[in-house]
Structures are given as C-alpha cells and as structure tokens.
Amino acid sequence: MITISVGIPTTRSATLGTAIRSVLAQTRGDWELMVIGQGPPEAEVELRDATAAAASGDPRVVYTHLTRRGVSRARNA
C-alpha cells in the first residue's frame, strides 16, 4: 500500500536526476514518485530520458508530460 506520493514538476533535465535519486534513497519504501515534465514536445524526450536513467527501472517512478507550464497544472495532473 502506498502512503506517500511525491510530485516533481520540472522543466530542467540537468537537475532532475539528483532529485529522483534523493527520493530513491529514502529508507521508507511505501511511496510513489510522479515526475511531471513541462514544456514544448521536444523537451519531453530529454526529460523522459533523464527520468528513466535516474529511476533505473523502479516501477514506483512514473513520468507525465504537460505542454503547458505551471506548478498548479503539474500538481493537478
């Protein structure tokens, strides 16, 4: 059962790996991580690849992309 949900809204792939690895390093295991990439469609590939590389196949990490930016949009997604 998942008791903690973490959301990372982002437009920057350069720092995304550090944030994901920080969540992966937590001692609790009952969490899910939702990475919400934002920006033009061409940014999606870079952000999705950065998420996949940092998550190393962990099924608790999921990626969603929004073309319209905004923290509120990301949280609602």
Side-chain angles (χ1 to χ4, degrees):
M1 186 167 110
I2 295 172
T3 59
I4 299 170
S5 295
V6 179
I8 300 176
T10 187
T11 59
R12 298 181 290 176
S13 62
T15 57
L16 182 56
T18 302
I20 292 171
R21 286 187 293 276
S22 177
V23 176
L24 289 170
Q26 300 304 305
T27 56
R28 290 188 65 149
D30 56 344
W31 53 264
E32 66 180 347
L33 171 59
M34 297 163 284
V35 178
I36 303 98
Q38 300 177 44
E42 47 280 0
E44 181 176 1
V45 174
E46 189 174 327
L47 291 166
R48 187 179 300 276
D49 288 349
T51 299
S56 301
D58 192 314
R60 298 173 295 178
V61 180
V62 296
Y63 180 85
T64 300
H65 192 83
L66 304 174
T67 54
R68 295 184 65 197
R69 294 169 70 170
V71 175
S72 295
R73 283 188 183 89
R75 288 180 182 141
N76 289 333

